[in-house]
Amino acid sequence: MRVADLLQKSEDRFLNAEEIGVLRDFVAGMPLRLQIYKKLRDRELPILQAVADQVERDLPSAAVEDVKKAISSLMLVLRYCAMALLMNSDEAFLKQRILRWLEQVSTAYNLRRINEVIFRHLNQLLSQEFTPPELELLQPLVTTAQVTLIY
Amino acid sequence: MSKINVADLISDRPVLANFFDYEAYLRGDLELGLLENRRGDRIVAIPETLIKALYQGLSKETGQAARLVMINCGKWWGKSFYNRFQQSLQEFYGIPLSEMDMLTFVRSLKEYWITHGWGKLEFDPEYRDRGLIIIRTYNSPYSRPLPGEPRPSCFLETGILSAFFSRLAGRELMAVQTTCESLGADCNRFILGIPERLKPVEDWVLSGMTHDAIVQKLVL
């Protein structure tokens, strides 16, 4: 349950024990989510650059403009993943806020093959940069983006 | 040496997503009693019953002319809509509409439609090089039959699309609706093109010709 929904539900009453538990879990998880958020923010450029370099190596024939489009999309994906983490939002948030928008770029310019390579390298990099508890929170979001932009 | 420098990619122009994102687009100054979009333009939510009342009232007062009145209202609306739309995108993305890539334009138009509660819009450029554009809308609030008029009835949308695309193309274009949800179709289809060419389409629709047959006849 999202915290915002929770607070809305309690507009004319106090939260019950179970709901307080949800809120407590949200607060307890905040330091870790904030830590992932900061790491994503601070490591954005090196991660994206490493992915871009790999794509150029793996797909030397891909048009530079197409790779730029795909990398720009990836940048938005990571930023929205970071936002989703802070708000403890789920994959539905990503789909509605950003993936519907990016999916059309992927289809229109036929970026699927590039995205495939991009996400393969991204996942490798993330598993080097992030700890297992961090990945547990981050990976489902990234995977949702990957699935949407590849298939 | 890498051909793509991500730092340059960002510094050239910020990477921006969807201006019409529902969560970011709608806001309100409730103290003043105002609902606004993210630019501060006033937004008014109209209840479905108002649209119903508009159709019924106009039909009662003006009879057969109701359709034309609404198409004209739609045209006025479409002109202002175009101005706001292009100003919004120009401010947000920092490039004029004329330099914007087709995809960002079409995506924005679709998102505009969804966020304003007008349903889903699809832009079909298949016949663009033959001078026709096909637009499909789903779940339109404007699709309501007029009493005694078994014809496509998204009059406001017809007007909006005519004016919007005329502005965009810089020449007069006309929209004709060929299928309508109010007549049991899966969606509302509009053909856009120059008026001389689309003139007979309305009669073809009334005579029961299908959308596909009409398109084929036009592109022959």
Side-chain angles (χ1 to χ4, degrees):
Chain A
M1 194 187 301
R2 287 178 59 208
V3 170
D5 297 336
L6 191 72
L7 296 177
Q8 208 142 52
K9 261 176 95 179
S10 67
E11 58 184 348
D12 51 8
R13 61 177 175 82
F14 289 107
L15 297 174
N16 63 31
E18 195 190 327
E19 290 163 340
I20 293 277
V22 174
L23 197 58
R24 191 177 288 135
D25 289 347
F26 172 74
V27 175
M30 202 46 160
L32 179 59
R33 292 198 303 273
L34 206 49
Q35 184 182 313
I36 309 172
Y37 183 90
K38 284 186 188 156
K39 217 185 227 182
L40 277 173
R41 183 195 63 189
D42 297 341
R43 299 288 300 153
E44 181 188 41
L45 266 187
I47 290 176
L48 289 174
Q49 188 63 60
V51 172
D53 295 345
Q54 280 288 354
V55 174
E56 282 184 282
R57 268 196 289 277
D58 286 7
L59 299 171
S61 61
V64 173
E65 279 311 307
D66 285 350
V67 180
K68 277 186 182 171
K69 283 191 189 86
I71 293 286
S72 301
S73 291
L74 181 64
M75 182 184 294
L76 287 172
V77 164
L78 289 180
R79 288 179 182 181
Y80 275 81
C81 282
M83 201 205 299
L85 278 171
L86 275 195
M87 294 163 53
N88 204 21
S89 300
D90 55 8
E91 292 84 349
F93 165 90
L94 269 194
K95 280 191 180 150
Q96 197 203 313
R97 293 294 301 269
I98 192 70
L99 295 180
R100 190 176 68 218
W101 180 253
L102 296 180
E103 195 177 9
Q104 299 175 61
V105 188
S106 182
T107 316
Y109 294 106
N110 208 4
L111 302 180
R112 289 202 176 80
R113 203 166 55 100
I114 297 176
N115 278 330
E116 231 176 87
V117 176
I118 278 186
F119 276 95
R120 194 168 67 231
H121 289 303
L122 176 72
N123 286 327
Q124 272 170 14
L125 281 167
L126 293 181
S127 63
Q128 290 160 18
E129 299 251 351
F130 289 84
T131 65
E134 290 171 340
L135 276 178
E136 201 178 314
L137 289 178
L138 179 58
Q139 194 64 60
L141 295 166
V142 173
T143 303
T144 303
Q146 177 173 11
V147 169
T148 312
L149 297 181
I150 284 180
Y151 298 108
Chain B
M1 178 62 195
S2 174
K3 276 179 278 180
I4 293 169
N5 184 323
V6 178
D8 288 349
L9 204 62
I10 309 177
S11 66
D12 284 353
R13 186 180 292 158
V15 177
L16 297 165
N18 172 15
F19 178 78
F20 297 109
D21 175 18
Y22 178 78
E23 299 274 343
Y25 183 74
L26 262 190
R27 41 182 77 162
D29 192 332
L30 300 184
E31 292 253 324
L32 291 173
L34 293 177
L35 205 55
E36 291 172 342
N37 68 16
R38 63 197 286 178
R39 286 178 78 214
D41 297 327
R42 186 171 188 177
I43 298 278
V44 182
I46 53 167
E48 205 179 7
T49 41
L50 176 62
I51 300 175
K52 264 191 214 163
L54 196 65
Y55 272 63
Q56 279 171 8
L58 274 174
S59 169
K60 195 159 174 234
E61 290 296 327
T62 63
Q64 298 256 316
R67 185 172 65 86
L68 296 174
V69 172
M70 281 191 276
I71 290 178
N72 267 323
C73 289
K75 282 185 181 167
W76 282 103
W77 190 2
K79 271 185 215 161
S80 320
F81 165 36
Y82 177 81
N83 290 340
R84 275 196 180 186
F85 184 80
Q86 65 115 12
Q87 278 165 13
S88 304
L89 293 186
Q90 185 161 340
E91 279 171 23
F92 187 65
Y93 292 113
I95 41 170
L97 207 54
S98 53
E99 286 171 30
M100 187 172 291
D101 61 288
M102 191 64 185
L103 184 64
T104 304
F105 166 77
V106 171
R107 279 190 296 174
S108 299
L109 186 61
K110 286 176 169 178
E111 292 294 324
Y112 185 99
W113 231 255
I114 290 178
T115 293
H116 285 86
W118 300 354
K120 234 170 66 176
L121 177 143
E122 284 175 1
F123 179 92
D124 182 351
E126 193 187 339
Y127 301 102
R128 197 169 55 163
D129 54 353
R130 317 285 276 275
L132 297 178
I133 287 170
I134 313 289
I135 302 273
R136 290 182 289 271
T137 66
Y138 299 77
N139 300 317
S140 168
Y142 310 111
S143 170
R144 341 201 134 255
L146 279 180
E149 284 217 61
R151 61 158 85 215
S153 60
C154 301
F155 307 121
L156 287 163
E157 251 170 313
T158 304
I160 293 172
L161 292 172
S162 300
F164 182 86
F165 282 94
S166 296
R167 278 290 173 104
L168 183 70
R171 61 180 300 183
E172 202 200 338
L173 295 180
M174 178 185 186
V176 183
Q177 190 181 359
T178 55
T179 68
C180 189
E181 288 173 312
S182 73
L183 297 176
D186 57 335
C187 65
N188 311 296
R189 292 179 177 78
F190 302 85
I191 303 178
L192 277 142
I194 54 172
E196 302 87 78
R197 201 161 157 210
L198 295 193
K199 223 176 224 161
V201 173
E202 217 167 288
D203 288 336
W204 296 345
V205 174
L206 286 176
S207 75
M209 211 173 185
T210 65
H211 169 81
D212 289 341
I214 291 172
V215 172
Q216 286 317 313
K217 201 162 167 176
L218 284 172
V219 297
L220 263 185

